[in-house]
Short mmCIF file of all heavy atoms in Angstrom, two decimals:
data_model
loop_
_atom_site.label_atom_id
_atom_site.label_comp_id
_atom_site.label_asym_id
_atom_site.label_seq_id
_atom_site.Cartn_x
_atom_site.Cartn_y
_atom_site.Cartn_z
N MET P 1 -55.41 289.74 413.42
CA MET P 1 -55.76 288.26 413.46
C MET P 1 -54.55 287.47 413.20
O MET P 1 -53.50 287.77 412.53
CB MET P 1 -56.74 287.94 412.37
CG MET P 1 -58.12 288.45 412.60
SD MET P 1 -59.29 288.00 411.26
CE MET P 1 -59.24 286.26 411.52
N THR P 2 -54.42 286.35 413.85
CA THR P 2 -53.28 285.35 413.67
C THR P 2 -53.87 283.99 413.34
O THR P 2 -54.89 283.61 413.65
CB THR P 2 -52.45 285.30 414.96
OG1 THR P 2 -53.31 284.80 415.95
CG2 THR P 2 -51.86 286.53 415.28
N VAL P 3 -53.10 283.30 412.52
CA VAL P 3 -53.48 281.98 411.98
C VAL P 3 -53.12 280.98 413.12
O VAL P 3 -52.00 280.94 413.59
CB VAL P 3 -52.74 281.72 410.68
CG1 VAL P 3 -52.98 280.17 410.28
CG2 VAL P 3 -53.09 282.65 409.68
N PRO P 4 -53.98 280.16 413.57
CA PRO P 4 -53.59 279.08 414.45
C PRO P 4 -52.52 278.15 413.91
O PRO P 4 -52.70 277.68 412.79
CB PRO P 4 -54.92 278.34 414.76
CG PRO P 4 -55.80 278.51 413.56
CD PRO P 4 -55.33 279.91 413.05
N GLU P 5 -51.44 277.91 414.80
CA GLU P 5 -50.47 276.95 414.21
C GLU P 5 -50.77 275.51 414.46
O GLU P 5 -50.11 274.61 413.79
CB GLU P 5 -49.15 277.28 415.01
CG GLU P 5 -48.51 278.69 414.54
CD GLU P 5 -47.15 278.87 415.08
OE1 GLU P 5 -46.62 277.98 415.63
OE2 GLU P 5 -46.70 279.94 414.82
N THR P 6 -51.72 275.19 415.28
CA THR P 6 -52.17 273.87 415.45
C THR P 6 -53.68 273.91 415.60
O THR P 6 -54.26 274.80 416.09
CB THR P 6 -51.54 273.29 416.74
OG1 THR P 6 -52.01 273.88 417.88
CG2 THR P 6 -50.06 273.11 416.65
N ILE P 7 -54.29 272.81 415.18
CA ILE P 7 -55.73 272.58 415.38
C ILE P 7 -55.96 271.18 415.80
O ILE P 7 -55.06 270.30 415.70
CB ILE P 7 -56.49 272.91 413.99
CG1 ILE P 7 -56.08 271.89 412.98
CG2 ILE P 7 -56.34 274.29 413.52
CD1 ILE P 7 -56.88 271.92 411.64
N LEU P 8 -57.11 270.82 416.33
CA LEU P 8 -57.50 269.50 416.72
C LEU P 8 -57.94 268.74 415.42
O LEU P 8 -58.71 269.28 414.66
CB LEU P 8 -58.65 269.52 417.76
CG LEU P 8 -58.36 269.59 419.14
CD1 LEU P 8 -59.60 269.49 419.92
CD2 LEU P 8 -57.32 268.57 419.54
N CYS P 9 -57.27 267.51 415.29
CA CYS P 9 -57.62 266.66 414.22
C CYS P 9 -59.06 266.18 414.35
O CYS P 9 -59.45 265.69 415.37
CB CYS P 9 -56.62 265.47 414.16
SG CYS P 9 -57.07 264.32 412.90
N VAL P 10 -59.84 266.28 413.31
CA VAL P 10 -61.31 266.00 413.35
C VAL P 10 -61.44 264.44 413.32
O VAL P 10 -62.50 263.82 413.69
CB VAL P 10 -62.09 266.55 412.21
CG1 VAL P 10 -62.09 268.02 412.33
CG2 VAL P 10 -61.60 266.12 410.91
N ASP P 11 -60.31 263.77 412.91
CA ASP P 11 -60.44 262.27 412.85
C ASP P 11 -60.12 261.60 414.11
O ASP P 11 -60.62 260.58 414.50
CB ASP P 11 -59.48 261.77 411.72
CG ASP P 11 -60.22 261.98 410.26
OD1 ASP P 11 -61.38 262.32 410.22
OD2 ASP P 11 -59.50 261.79 409.35
N CYS P 12 -59.02 262.02 414.84
CA CYS P 12 -58.51 261.21 415.82
C CYS P 12 -58.22 262.11 417.14
O CYS P 12 -57.72 261.64 418.08
CB CYS P 12 -57.14 260.61 415.53
SG CYS P 12 -55.74 261.73 415.29
N ASP P 13 -58.64 263.37 417.15
CA ASP P 13 -58.41 264.41 418.15
C ASP P 13 -56.95 264.57 418.39
O ASP P 13 -56.64 264.99 419.60
CB ASP P 13 -59.20 263.88 419.46
CG ASP P 13 -60.69 264.03 419.44
OD1 ASP P 13 -61.10 264.91 418.56
OD2 ASP P 13 -61.40 263.44 420.06
N GLY P 14 -56.07 264.32 417.63
CA GLY P 14 -54.74 264.56 417.72
C GLY P 14 -54.35 265.99 417.38
O GLY P 14 -55.30 266.82 417.08
N ILE P 15 -53.16 266.23 417.40
CA ILE P 15 -52.77 267.79 417.09
C ILE P 15 -52.28 267.81 415.56
O ILE P 15 -51.39 267.09 415.21
CB ILE P 15 -51.61 268.29 417.97
CG1 ILE P 15 -52.03 268.17 419.47
CG2 ILE P 15 -51.22 269.61 417.65
CD1 ILE P 15 -53.18 269.05 419.76
N ALA P 16 -52.99 268.69 414.92
CA ALA P 16 -52.56 268.93 413.55
C ALA P 16 -51.74 270.16 413.41
O ALA P 16 -52.16 271.20 413.93
CB ALA P 16 -53.83 268.97 412.52
N HIS P 17 -50.63 270.13 412.74
CA HIS P 17 -49.69 271.19 412.62
C HIS P 17 -49.81 271.93 411.36
O HIS P 17 -50.03 271.31 410.32
CB HIS P 17 -48.31 270.82 412.88
CG HIS P 17 -48.01 270.14 414.23
ND1 HIS P 17 -47.69 270.94 415.21
CD2 HIS P 17 -48.31 269.00 414.69
CE1 HIS P 17 -47.56 270.21 416.35
NE2 HIS P 17 -47.94 268.94 415.94
N LEU P 18 -49.74 273.21 411.32
CA LEU P 18 -49.88 274.05 410.11
C LEU P 18 -48.71 273.67 409.22
O LEU P 18 -47.47 273.68 409.56
CB LEU P 18 -49.81 275.52 410.53
CG LEU P 18 -49.90 276.58 409.40
CD1 LEU P 18 -51.23 276.44 408.64
CD2 LEU P 18 -49.65 277.92 410.00
N LEU P 19 -49.05 273.44 407.93
CA LEU P 19 -47.87 273.12 406.93
C LEU P 19 -47.71 274.38 406.07
O LEU P 19 -46.63 274.59 405.55
CB LEU P 19 -48.40 272.04 405.91
CG LEU P 19 -48.52 270.63 406.60
CD1 LEU P 19 -49.11 269.77 405.38
CD2 LEU P 19 -47.09 270.12 406.92
N THR P 20 -48.68 275.18 405.93
CA THR P 20 -48.57 276.41 405.02
C THR P 20 -47.62 277.43 405.60
O THR P 20 -47.65 277.67 406.77
CB THR P 20 -49.90 276.97 404.81
OG1 THR P 20 -50.88 275.99 404.37
CG2 THR P 20 -49.89 278.11 403.81
N SER P 21 -46.69 277.91 404.73
CA SER P 21 -45.90 279.00 405.18
C SER P 21 -45.93 280.14 404.16
O SER P 21 -46.47 279.94 403.06
CB SER P 21 -44.38 278.45 405.34
OG SER P 21 -43.94 278.08 404.07
N TRP P 22 -45.56 281.26 404.53
CA TRP P 22 -45.68 282.41 403.61
C TRP P 22 -44.52 283.45 404.01
O TRP P 22 -43.98 283.33 405.14
CB TRP P 22 -47.05 283.07 403.84
CG TRP P 22 -47.39 283.28 405.31
CD1 TRP P 22 -47.06 284.34 406.10
CD2 TRP P 22 -48.18 282.36 406.16
NE1 TRP P 22 -47.52 284.19 407.38
CE2 TRP P 22 -48.18 282.97 407.45
CE3 TRP P 22 -48.71 281.10 405.94
CZ2 TRP P 22 -48.87 282.29 408.47
CZ3 TRP P 22 -49.38 280.53 406.99
CH2 TRP P 22 -49.33 281.13 408.27
N ALA P 23 -44.29 284.34 403.13
CA ALA P 23 -43.28 285.29 403.32
C ALA P 23 -43.80 286.19 404.50
O ALA P 23 -44.98 286.45 404.58
CB ALA P 23 -43.14 286.15 402.11
N ALA P 24 -42.93 286.70 405.32
CA ALA P 24 -43.20 287.57 406.46
C ALA P 24 -43.96 288.83 406.12
O ALA P 24 -44.85 289.31 406.87
CB ALA P 24 -41.88 287.99 407.18
N ASP P 25 -43.75 289.41 404.88
CA ASP P 25 -44.42 290.56 404.44
C ASP P 25 -45.70 290.32 403.76
O ASP P 25 -46.39 291.20 403.32
CB ASP P 25 -43.51 291.43 403.62
CG ASP P 25 -43.04 290.80 402.37
OD1 ASP P 25 -43.20 289.59 402.36
OD2 ASP P 25 -42.36 291.38 401.48
N THR P 26 -46.11 289.03 403.55
CA THR P 26 -47.33 288.69 402.83
C THR P 26 -48.15 287.68 403.67
O THR P 26 -48.22 286.49 403.33
CB THR P 26 -47.07 288.27 401.42
OG1 THR P 26 -46.23 287.03 401.49
CG2 THR P 26 -46.45 289.22 400.58
N PRO P 27 -48.64 288.05 404.81
CA PRO P 27 -49.37 287.15 405.75
C PRO P 27 -50.60 286.75 404.90
O PRO P 27 -51.14 287.47 404.05
CB PRO P 27 -49.60 287.97 406.88
CG PRO P 27 -49.62 289.33 406.50
CD PRO P 27 -48.63 289.42 405.39
N PRO P 28 -51.23 285.55 405.25
CA PRO P 28 -52.41 285.12 404.73
C PRO P 28 -53.49 286.02 404.96
O PRO P 28 -53.58 286.61 406.04
CB PRO P 28 -52.63 283.64 405.33
CG PRO P 28 -51.76 283.78 406.61
CD PRO P 28 -50.73 284.66 406.32
N GLU P 29 -54.42 285.98 404.09
CA GLU P 29 -55.64 286.80 404.27
C GLU P 29 -56.88 285.88 404.39
O GLU P 29 -56.75 284.88 403.88
CB GLU P 29 -55.88 287.77 403.12
CG GLU P 29 -54.66 288.71 402.96
CD GLU P 29 -54.91 289.64 401.71
OE1 GLU P 29 -55.83 289.31 400.88
OE2 GLU P 29 -54.21 290.55 401.60
N PRO P 30 -58.00 286.32 404.92
CA PRO P 30 -59.14 285.54 405.04
C PRO P 30 -59.49 285.05 403.64
O PRO P 30 -59.42 285.88 402.64
CB PRO P 30 -60.23 286.40 405.51
CG PRO P 30 -59.48 287.38 406.43
CD PRO P 30 -58.19 287.57 405.70
N GLY P 31 -59.80 283.81 403.44
CA GLY P 31 -60.00 283.22 402.20
C GLY P 31 -58.82 282.27 401.71
O GLY P 31 -58.92 281.55 400.78
N SER P 32 -57.68 282.60 402.34
CA SER P 32 -56.48 281.74 402.08
C SER P 32 -56.72 280.35 402.46
O SER P 32 -57.38 280.07 403.47
CB SER P 32 -55.23 282.29 402.68
OG SER P 32 -54.96 283.63 402.32
N VAL P 33 -56.11 279.45 401.82
CA VAL P 33 -56.13 277.98 402.10
C VAL P 33 -55.01 277.68 402.98
O VAL P 33 -53.82 277.90 402.63
CB VAL P 33 -56.26 277.13 400.88
CG1 VAL P 33 -56.11 275.66 401.28
CG2 VAL P 33 -57.41 277.41 400.01
N LEU P 34 -55.28 277.12 404.11
CA LEU P 34 -54.27 276.65 405.14
C LEU P 34 -54.22 275.14 405.17
O LEU P 34 -55.20 274.52 405.30
CB LEU P 34 -54.45 277.30 406.50
CG LEU P 34 -54.68 278.74 406.62
CD1 LEU P 34 -55.05 279.05 407.98
CD2 LEU P 34 -53.37 279.43 406.11
N SER P 35 -53.05 274.53 405.11
CA SER P 35 -52.90 273.05 405.12
C SER P 35 -52.39 272.71 406.61
O SER P 35 -51.39 273.23 406.99
CB SER P 35 -52.03 272.61 404.11
OG SER P 35 -52.58 272.80 402.70
N TYR P 36 -53.03 271.71 407.19
CA TYR P 36 -52.66 271.07 408.44
C TYR P 36 -52.37 269.63 408.23
O TYR P 36 -52.97 268.98 407.56
CB TYR P 36 -53.59 271.38 409.44
CG TYR P 36 -53.82 272.85 409.88
CD1 TYR P 36 -54.57 273.63 409.15
CD2 TYR P 36 -53.22 273.34 410.94
CE1 TYR P 36 -54.79 274.90 409.50
CE2 TYR P 36 -53.36 274.61 411.34
CZ TYR P 36 -54.15 275.45 410.58
OH TYR P 36 -54.38 276.71 410.91
N LEU P 37 -51.29 269.11 408.99
CA LEU P 37 -51.01 267.65 408.90
C LEU P 37 -51.05 267.16 410.34
O LEU P 37 -50.44 267.72 411.25
CB LEU P 37 -49.73 267.44 408.32
CG LEU P 37 -49.26 265.92 408.13
CD1 LEU P 37 -50.18 265.31 407.02
CD2 LEU P 37 -47.78 265.79 407.78
N CYS P 38 -51.90 266.09 410.53
CA CYS P 38 -52.07 265.62 411.87
C CYS P 38 -50.84 264.72 412.18
O CYS P 38 -50.37 263.95 411.41
CB CYS P 38 -53.24 264.65 411.90
SG CYS P 38 -53.52 263.87 413.54
N ALA P 39 -50.32 264.99 413.42
CA ALA P 39 -49.09 264.28 413.83
C ALA P 39 -49.37 262.81 414.31
O ALA P 39 -48.50 262.02 414.58
CB ALA P 39 -48.41 265.05 415.00
N SER P 40 -50.70 262.56 414.54
CA SER P 40 -51.15 261.17 415.09
C SER P 40 -51.45 260.22 413.97
O SER P 40 -51.14 259.13 413.92
CB SER P 40 -52.18 261.33 416.04
OG SER P 40 -51.70 262.12 417.21
N CYS P 41 -52.38 260.78 413.00
CA CYS P 41 -52.90 259.82 411.99
C CYS P 41 -52.36 260.21 410.55
O CYS P 41 -52.59 259.60 409.64
CB CYS P 41 -54.41 259.82 411.95
SG CYS P 41 -55.15 261.29 411.49
N TRP P 42 -51.60 261.37 410.48
CA TRP P 42 -51.02 261.83 409.27
C TRP P 42 -52.13 262.21 408.24
O TRP P 42 -51.81 262.14 406.98
CB TRP P 42 -50.00 260.85 408.68
CG TRP P 42 -48.87 260.64 409.60
CD1 TRP P 42 -48.78 259.44 410.46
CD2 TRP P 42 -47.82 261.42 409.88
NE1 TRP P 42 -47.57 259.67 411.21
CE2 TRP P 42 -46.99 260.87 410.88
CE3 TRP P 42 -47.43 262.66 409.48
CZ2 TRP P 42 -45.88 261.52 411.42
CZ3 TRP P 42 -46.24 263.25 409.91
CH2 TRP P 42 -45.51 262.69 410.92
N GLU P 43 -53.16 262.47 408.71
CA GLU P 43 -54.33 262.99 407.80
C GLU P 43 -53.96 264.48 407.50
O GLU P 43 -53.57 265.22 408.38
CB GLU P 43 -55.70 262.82 408.37
CG GLU P 43 -56.72 263.13 407.42
CD GLU P 43 -56.91 261.97 406.45
OE1 GLU P 43 -56.61 260.82 406.76
OE2 GLU P 43 -57.30 262.25 405.31
N ARG P 44 -54.19 264.81 406.26
CA ARG P 44 -53.94 266.19 405.82
C ARG P 44 -55.23 266.91 405.73
O ARG P 44 -56.20 266.32 405.16
CB ARG P 44 -53.12 266.30 404.60
CG ARG P 44 -52.98 267.81 404.19
CD ARG P 44 -52.06 267.84 402.89
NE ARG P 44 -52.23 269.15 402.22
CZ ARG P 44 -51.28 269.61 401.40
NH1 ARG P 44 -50.26 268.81 401.14
NH2 ARG P 44 -51.43 270.86 400.94
N PHE P 45 -55.40 268.13 406.20
CA PHE P 45 -56.54 268.88 406.11
C PHE P 45 -56.24 270.24 405.46
O PHE P 45 -55.31 270.91 405.77
CB PHE P 45 -57.12 269.18 407.55
CG PHE P 45 -57.39 267.97 408.36
CD1 PHE P 45 -56.41 267.55 409.21
CD2 PHE P 45 -58.64 267.32 408.13
CE1 PHE P 45 -56.72 266.32 409.93
CE2 PHE P 45 -58.79 266.07 408.90
CZ PHE P 45 -57.81 265.75 409.76
N ASP P 46 -57.09 270.57 404.41
CA ASP P 46 -56.90 271.94 403.84
C ASP P 46 -58.19 272.69 404.26
O ASP P 46 -59.33 272.32 403.99
CB ASP P 46 -56.90 271.74 402.33
CG ASP P 46 -55.67 271.17 401.84
OD1 ASP P 46 -54.60 271.46 402.41
OD2 ASP P 46 -55.74 270.41 400.85
N LEU P 47 -57.85 273.80 404.98
CA LEU P 47 -59.00 274.63 405.44
C LEU P 47 -58.91 276.04 404.79
O LEU P 47 -57.85 276.60 404.61
CB LEU P 47 -58.86 274.76 406.92
CG LEU P 47 -58.88 273.57 407.84
CD1 LEU P 47 -58.71 274.04 409.28
CD2 LEU P 47 -60.11 272.63 407.69
N VAL P 48 -60.09 276.48 404.47
CA VAL P 48 -60.15 277.97 404.00
C VAL P 48 -60.26 278.81 405.23
O VAL P 48 -61.20 278.61 406.11
CB VAL P 48 -61.35 278.13 403.08
CG1 VAL P 48 -61.40 279.70 402.87
CG2 VAL P 48 -61.18 277.42 401.84
N TRP P 49 -59.33 279.67 405.49
CA TRP P 49 -59.28 280.51 406.75
C TRP P 49 -60.21 281.61 406.53
O TRP P 49 -60.07 282.52 405.71
CB TRP P 49 -57.87 280.99 406.93
CG TRP P 49 -57.76 281.82 408.16
CD1 TRP P 49 -58.18 281.44 409.42
CD2 TRP P 49 -57.09 283.01 408.33
NE1 TRP P 49 -57.94 282.36 410.31
CE2 TRP P 49 -57.18 283.42 409.70
CE3 TRP P 49 -56.40 283.93 407.51
CZ2 TRP P 49 -56.67 284.62 410.21
CZ3 TRP P 49 -55.91 285.07 408.03
CH2 TRP P 49 -55.96 285.39 409.38
N GLU P 50 -61.34 281.59 407.25
CA GLU P 50 -62.46 282.63 407.04
C GLU P 50 -62.23 283.71 408.20
O GLU P 50 -61.80 283.36 409.26
CB GLU P 50 -63.72 281.94 407.33
CG GLU P 50 -64.03 280.82 406.40
CD GLU P 50 -64.40 281.13 405.14
OE1 GLU P 50 -64.54 282.43 404.79
OE2 GLU P 50 -64.86 280.31 404.25
N ASP P 51 -62.45 284.86 407.76
CA ASP P 51 -62.55 285.94 408.74
C ASP P 51 -63.74 285.71 409.55
O ASP P 51 -64.65 284.99 409.26
CB ASP P 51 -62.72 287.29 408.03
CG ASP P 51 -62.21 288.35 408.94
OD1 ASP P 51 -61.92 288.20 410.08
OD2 ASP P 51 -62.01 289.52 408.43
N GLN P 52 -63.72 286.25 410.77
CA GLN P 52 -64.84 285.97 411.66
C GLN P 52 -65.97 286.83 411.25
O GLN P 52 -65.82 287.95 410.83
CB GLN P 52 -64.46 286.38 413.13
CG GLN P 52 -63.39 285.46 413.73
CD GLN P 52 -63.28 285.50 415.24
OE1 GLN P 52 -63.89 286.48 415.74
NE2 GLN P 52 -62.61 284.54 415.91
N ILE P 53 -67.16 286.18 411.19
CA ILE P 53 -68.38 286.64 410.65
C ILE P 53 -69.21 287.28 411.78
O ILE P 53 -69.48 286.67 412.77
CB ILE P 53 -69.13 285.67 409.98
CG1 ILE P 53 -68.23 285.13 408.78
CG2 ILE P 53 -70.44 286.26 409.44
CD1 ILE P 53 -68.86 283.90 408.09
N ASP P 54 -69.56 288.51 411.55
CA ASP P 54 -70.48 289.20 412.47
C ASP P 54 -71.92 288.85 412.05
O ASP P 54 -72.31 288.92 410.89
CB ASP P 54 -70.30 290.72 412.58
CG ASP P 54 -69.05 291.11 413.25
OD1 ASP P 54 -68.63 290.39 414.20
OD2 ASP P 54 -68.32 291.97 412.91
N ASP P 55 -72.75 288.43 412.95
CA ASP P 55 -74.15 288.08 412.58
C ASP P 55 -75.14 289.17 412.57
O ASP P 55 -76.24 289.03 412.16
CB ASP P 55 -74.66 286.95 413.57
CG ASP P 55 -74.10 285.65 413.13
OD1 ASP P 55 -73.75 285.41 411.93
OD2 ASP P 55 -74.03 284.71 414.07
N ASP P 56 -74.71 290.37 412.95
CA ASP P 56 -75.62 291.41 413.07
C ASP P 56 -75.72 292.34 411.79
O ASP P 56 -75.47 291.95 410.74
CB ASP P 56 -75.38 292.32 414.23
CG ASP P 56 -73.98 292.96 414.23
OD1 ASP P 56 -73.39 292.83 413.19
OD2 ASP P 56 -73.59 293.41 415.21
ZN1 ZN T 101 -55.48 262.72 413.28
#
């Protein structure tokens, strides 16, 4: 799994860029908090990175 480096801003549909960084040998795990900053409205978003859930 890889962490998305950009997401769509929920406020303005701009591009929000990943702020969180980590050491190369300690990648984030599901449950880690990732911070994104929108380049258009400068809103900051903190998301909990969830592993994909199987419904079955
Ligand atoms: Zn925005």
Side-chain angles (χ1 to χ4, degrees):
M1 288 181 64
T2 58
V3 174
E5 293 192 0
T6 60
I7 61 173
L8 272 184
C9 175
V10 296
D11 282 351
C12 73
D13 287 337
I15 302 297
H17 296 267
L18 181 65
L19 288 177
T20 306
S21 61
W22 50 84
D25 59 345
T26 57
E29 298 176 348
S32 297
V33 176
L34 305 176
S35 297
Y36 291 85
L37 185 68
C38 178
S40 296
C41 69
W42 298 104
E43 192 70 33
R44 177 174 165 162
F45 304 96
D46 292 323
L47 303 180
V48 176
W49 184 47
E50 304 278 6
D51 205 347
Q52 292 197 347
I53 298 170
D54 290 327
D55 279 335
D56 58 11

